[in-house]
Amino acid sequence: MKFRTVVNREKEKAILEKMEHLGIREEDIVERFIRSRGHGGQNVNKVSTCVYLKHVPTGIEVKCQQERSQALNRFLARRILIQKIEDQTLGRENEKQQRIAKIKRQKRKRSKRAQEKVLHLKHLQSEKKRARSHIPDPWEY
């Protein structure tokens, strides 16, 4: 895998070492090039700079079109793919899912009974405050 001269040698070497460390082989990666969309002018419209990678054993897919250069997008897509595979193998994805589930639980709508309970408690609190704030008028008697 060569990224031409777009990526410096140290970064290319580091990504290859990380792939080897995680057991990711180039043969296991399906690579396609898609015509990009958006900013970039004529270069983007003519050249297929968007890179699609799929790691066949895990089924993880990555699409990258951050830069106008295909070679740089290939490098970035591989870096993202490696990160996703690493997260999956180390169980970080599970932590993310737990955090998302917790947020969903916090945001979901309360049941009717829970709403009534909260409103009842608020009503009691307001009654307490109202009773405290009432100062009898000395001329009432």
Side-chain angles (χ1 to χ4, degrees), residues 33-90:
F33 302 102
I34 307 163
R35 197 162 286 164
S36 296
R37 299 175 67 184
H39 301 292
Q42 192 173 10
N43 179 63
V44 166
N45 296 331
K46 287 170 61 178
V47 182
S48 298
T49 54
C50 180
V51 178
Y52 166 85
L53 296 178
K54 180 176 181 178
H55 187 243
V56 177
T58 58
I60 295 175
E61 298 177 351
V62 171
K63 195 185 273 188
C64 180
Q65 63 175 35
Q66 294 176 3
E67 301 294 330
R68 288 176 58 182
S69 163
Q70 187 184 74
L72 191 54
N73 281 333
R74 287 182 71 208
F75 172 78
L76 294 173
R78 274 181 175 68
R79 196 164 69 181
I80 295 166
L81 181 71
I82 289 169
Q83 185 63 48
K84 283 189 172 190
I85 292 171
E86 189 176 37
D87 288 350
Q88 188 181 47
T89 56
L90 297 178

